[in-house]
Amino acid sequence: NDENKYGSIVAVAKTLITQPSKSEKSAESVAYLPDKYCFPPSESAAEQQASDDETVHTECTGITFSSEPTEVRANIRPTRVVIIDDEYGIARGDCIISLFNPYSGKTQQEDTGDNVAGLKEIIWKLRELRRGDSKIEDVPVDSSASNTVPSLRLKLPVDVDKARVLRGTKHIKEIESAAIQYLKNDEFDEAEDLFQEILSSYVERFMKESKKMEPTAQLKAYEYQQVICVVLHNLGVIKLLMSDYDEALNHFQKALSVQEPYLGSDHIEIVPTLLKLGVSRYAAGEYSEAESAFRRCLEISHKKSPNSSDRAQLAEILNNLACTQYCNGNFDDALSSLSDSMQIQCEILDESLYSESDILSQCIMTKVSMIKCNIGCIHLDQGQPSLAIGAFQSALMHQKNVLGNSDKITFKTMSHLALANLQVGLRKNAIQLYKRMLQVQTTNCCEHHIEVARVLVKMCLVYMEEHDFDGATESIYRLYECQQKNKDPGLAEEFRYLSSIGKGVEKKLKKFKQPVPPSFEAVQKPS
């Protein structure tokens, strides 16, 4: 009767409902609904009706799956699904892009081979802090060790396979509750499966309601439309946490294609999805498209007087916009956006002093430190090491207090600060920072970890600049020893590269007629 009203969402729903499922389908199953939530094909219509009238229980950590007669379920309005922009997913304001890359001493623009490492680290660190894991310092895994550390995640005894979701929405809250429990334990595959089941159920019901002509049915279809947006957004968040950025982008695009027809392209409620879509595009190296998405978020956000939560999101938008501006070569605009983001975060930090939660202050301080690191990276790239030093020093003060010396983010900040000191000729400051980094790595990892080797190479080069030949000799000796003891074949190529730098330094030592200890040669031969 009003075909154009739901034309776009019906088209999207059709693409969703025809997607291949992870599980095998029966002949009578709904196209997108896995078999475990459908009646088996051998069950007759009479048996289906009998199943509708009985109660199905699944004993699992207090969760009970029950059903009601069909005529009751037909009148149930869609159950709202909670959006996981919280500590179990990615909290609003926490999807912060960092210009750090995996290898300290380079900024993001110099090496885009892995332009998501900084993004992943800060998202997970903020997630840990929000869940009460503050002051827990990261212990890097020794990749050369033969034994692996067992997973700390607890497998929930939620036996969802035995539950039957009878093509209705009655059991959505039970499934959602189980999905959240999986998210709490970082079991993302299981959480994804359950949200996919919710999506399948709602898409099927929406397709039915949208074909009806009654006004109440159209209203009901509109409500399903709202819930489908949230579920698609949640699936995108899960994919972000799994570092599957292509699939995350796919889900966020679908969520927006459902949201915009009924909310409008400038509604404030589309910003969380649009923002994470921009992050997904950034992760894919699509910087221009990501910048466009962040600009749209900024324009929409300025139309509303923001509360504390919205201001955290606005600061997030400005930081991420700055990172895309930097990657697109607009350095002055990037610094301006970072300055605006910093101002908002500092205001929120001041207000957090009156909050009962210390975790909130720690999260904000961590985000403030990352914005300062981004400012430092841009100054470093633009040949302004003095300005970079100020930014990195300020960031390091926050990180040491909140994250600790052993955290990966703190470690990278120290490395960038050392590089900035070297560029202004403060080699002794750089050596002191490298010594601290070396101590942290040898304490928390082992003496032959790859990070130890990376720091040793930097130290021996700086020692040679200082004509501290004893320090250079000791660093090279430890580097060769590290290469000999580390048995990880995946690191062999990088160790050969680091070793070649050590051999170059060794030639310079001989040129200066410096004695080489016998043990030095003995360690070098096996490599």
Side-chain angles (χ1 to χ4, degrees):
N1 199 25
D2 193 0
E3 189 172 336
N4 293 331
K5 185 171 184 179
Y6 297 106
S8 59
I9 175 60
V10 169
V12 174
K14 286 180 178 178
T15 64
L16 291 171
I17 209 166
T18 55
Q19 286 184 4
S21 171
K22 293 182 180 179
S23 56
E24 207 172 308
K25 303 293 183 298
S26 64
E28 297 184 11
S29 296
V30 180
Y32 193 63
L33 201 60
D35 283 341
K36 61 184 178 182
Y37 292 119
C38 298
F39 293 106
S42 60
E43 198 168 21
S44 65
E47 290 171 330
Q48 286 190 22
Q49 183 60 45
S51 295
D52 278 348
D53 295 332
E54 69 181 10
T55 300
V56 181
H57 295 286
T58 301
E59 300 301 329
C60 48
T61 58
I63 299 177
T64 302
F65 295 81
S66 60
S67 61
E68 292 184 2
T70 306
E71 62 272 12
V72 176
R73 288 189 285 106
N75 295 321
I76 293 177
R77 304 191 86 84
T79 303
R80 292 300 179 92
V81 176
V82 176
I83 190 168
I84 55 173
D85 287 348
D86 55 19
E87 65 269 25
Y88 304 126
I90 301 176
R92 184 172 293 192
D94 285 3
C95 207
I96 297 288
I97 295 174
S98 166
L99 293 177
F100 282 164
N101 77 345
Y103 300 102
S104 306
K106 291 183 179 179
T107 54
Q108 191 70 60
Q109 201 179 48
E110 293 176 83
D111 186 357
T112 57
D114 187 355
N115 59 348
V116 296
L119 170 66
K120 180 178 179 180
E121 283 180 1
I122 188 61
I123 286 176
W124 273 92
K125 181 54 61 180
L126 290 169
R127 195 165 181 266
E128 289 175 9
L129 289 173
R130 287 193 182 276
R131 292 160 67 180
D133 297 333
S134 58
K135 299 293 285 186
I136 295 179
E137 301 183 347
D138 286 342
V139 180
V141 178
D142 180 12
S143 55
S144 66
S146 57
N147 57 328
T148 57
V149 179
S151 173
L152 297 179
R153 298 185 303 168
L154 300 177
K155 190 72 175 179
L156 295 179
V158 180
D159 192 359
V160 183
D161 289 337
K162 295 181 181 178
R164 287 176 173 176
V165 176
L166 305 179
R167 294 196 182 95
T169 60
K170 173 63 180 176
H171 311 295
I172 295 300
K173 294 309 291 184
E174 287 93 334
I175 300 174
E176 181 191 29
S177 176
I180 297 299
Q181 290 298 321
Y182 280 123
L183 279 175
K184 288 180 180 179
N185 291 283
D186 299 340
E187 298 187 87
F188 300 120
D189 288 332
E190 292 82 354
E192 180 192 3
D193 286 342
L194 293 183
F195 276 115
Q196 288 283 10
E197 311 308 342
I198 296 173
L199 179 64
S200 301
S201 178
Y202 276 144
V203 167
E204 177 195 5
R205 182 59 64 89
F206 170 79
M207 296 293 288
K208 292 179 180 178
E209 296 294 337
S210 61
K211 293 177 182 178
K212 297 179 182 179
M213 299 174 61
E214 299 85 355
T216 55
Q218 291 185 358
L219 175 62
K220 206 170 178 182
Y222 171 82
E223 292 174 345
Y224 281 110
Q225 200 170 338
Q226 292 177 305
V227 178
I228 288 170
C229 295
V230 173
V231 179
L232 284 168
H233 178 92
N234 288 353
L235 286 167
V237 170
I238 292 172
K239 287 298 184 181
L240 274 182
L241 289 170
M242 297 171 71
S243 301
D244 189 346
Y245 301 106
D246 291 337
E247 279 300 308
L249 177 61
N250 183 34
H251 286 304
F252 292 132
Q253 284 176 325
K254 288 177 179 177
L256 277 177
S257 66
V258 177
Q259 283 178 314
E260 290 182 326
Y262 77 91
L263 286 177
S265 60
D266 61 348
H267 197 282
I268 191 67
E269 288 186 17
I270 75 169
V271 171
T273 301
L274 183 60
L275 174 59
K276 290 182 174 63
L277 180 141
V279 170
S280 302
R281 288 201 179 279
Y282 177 90
E286 301 173 3
Y287 301 127
S288 297
E289 294 83 352
E291 184 175 347
S292 297
F294 295 138
R295 285 192 181 280
R296 273 190 66 194
C297 291
L298 193 60
E299 291 171 4
I300 296 170
S301 298
H302 279 317
K303 294 179 181 179
K304 180 180 179 181
S305 178
N307 56 35
S308 180
S309 175
D310 291 329
R311 280 188 295 151
Q313 183 174 257
L314 181 59
E316 174 187 20
I317 294 168
L318 286 164
N319 174 83
N320 294 351
L321 174 62
C323 291
T324 56
Q325 289 170 329
Y326 165 74
C327 291
N328 289 325
N330 303 318
F331 305 115
D332 291 338
D333 291 341
L335 288 171
S336 176
S337 298
L338 287 171
S339 177
D340 292 342
S341 179
M342 174 74 68
Q343 181 179 350
I344 297 171
Q345 292 285 15
C346 289
E347 290 173 0
I348 302 173
L349 181 60
D350 289 342
E351 294 171 7
S352 71
L353 295 175
Y354 303 96
S355 169
E356 295 180 358
S357 173
D358 291 335
I359 292 177
L360 177 60
S361 298
Q362 292 171 356
C363 288
I364 299 170
M365 288 175 66
T366 301
K367 287 187 279 188
V368 167
S369 76
M370 290 313 304
I371 296 172
K372 290 181 178 180
C373 284
N374 286 341
I375 293 173
C377 284
I378 295 176
H379 284 313
L380 199 60
D381 182 63
Q382 292 300 293
Q384 300 169 320
S386 296
L387 295 175
I389 288 174
F392 287 132
Q393 284 181 165
S394 181
L396 191 58
M397 293 287 287
H398 287 302
Q399 291 167 3
K400 286 178 63 178
N401 290 331
V402 177
L403 307 178
N405 285 321
S406 303
D407 187 82
K408 291 180 181 179
I409 296 173
T410 307
F411 188 85
K412 288 184 179 181
T413 303
M414 284 195 287
S415 182
H416 282 73
L417 177 58
L419 179 60
N421 274 280
L422 286 173
Q423 290 188 4
V424 296
L426 300 175
R427 288 190 284 266
K428 291 183 178 179
N429 287 353
I431 282 291
Q432 291 302 316
L433 285 166
Y434 287 140
K435 284 181 177 179
R436 284 171 55 190
M437 293 165 61
L438 191 64
Q439 182 181 6
V440 167
Q441 291 299 325
T442 53
T443 302
N444 293 303
C445 305
C446 59
E447 292 187 353
H448 54 272
H449 194 273
I450 185 63
E451 284 292 347
V452 172
R454 291 169 183 162
V455 175
L456 285 169
V457 166
K458 295 173 185 177
M459 289 180 69
C460 73
L461 292 173
V462 178
Y463 278 132
M464 286 301 295
E465 290 289 330
E466 285 285 286
H467 286 193
D468 185 346
F469 302 123
D470 291 339
T473 300
E474 181 185 357
S475 299
I476 297 175
Y477 172 79
R478 291 184 63 182
L479 170 65
Y480 290 147
E481 187 177 41
C482 188
Q483 181 184 18
Q484 181 190 28
K485 292 183 178 179
N486 193 300
K487 304 299 182 182
D488 188 348
L491 297 173
E493 184 177 352
E494 184 175 357
F495 266 114
R496 281 194 293 270
Y497 169 71
L498 296 175
S499 178
S500 67
I501 297 175
K503 290 176 182 177
V505 174
E506 182 187 351
K507 290 179 181 178
K508 290 183 179 180
L509 285 171
K510 292 179 178 178
K511 183 179 179 181
F512 284 103
K513 298 181 179 179
Q514 294 298 312
V516 179
S519 57
F520 186 96
E521 300 287 351
V523 174
Q524 183 184 3
K525 290 179 181 178
S527 64

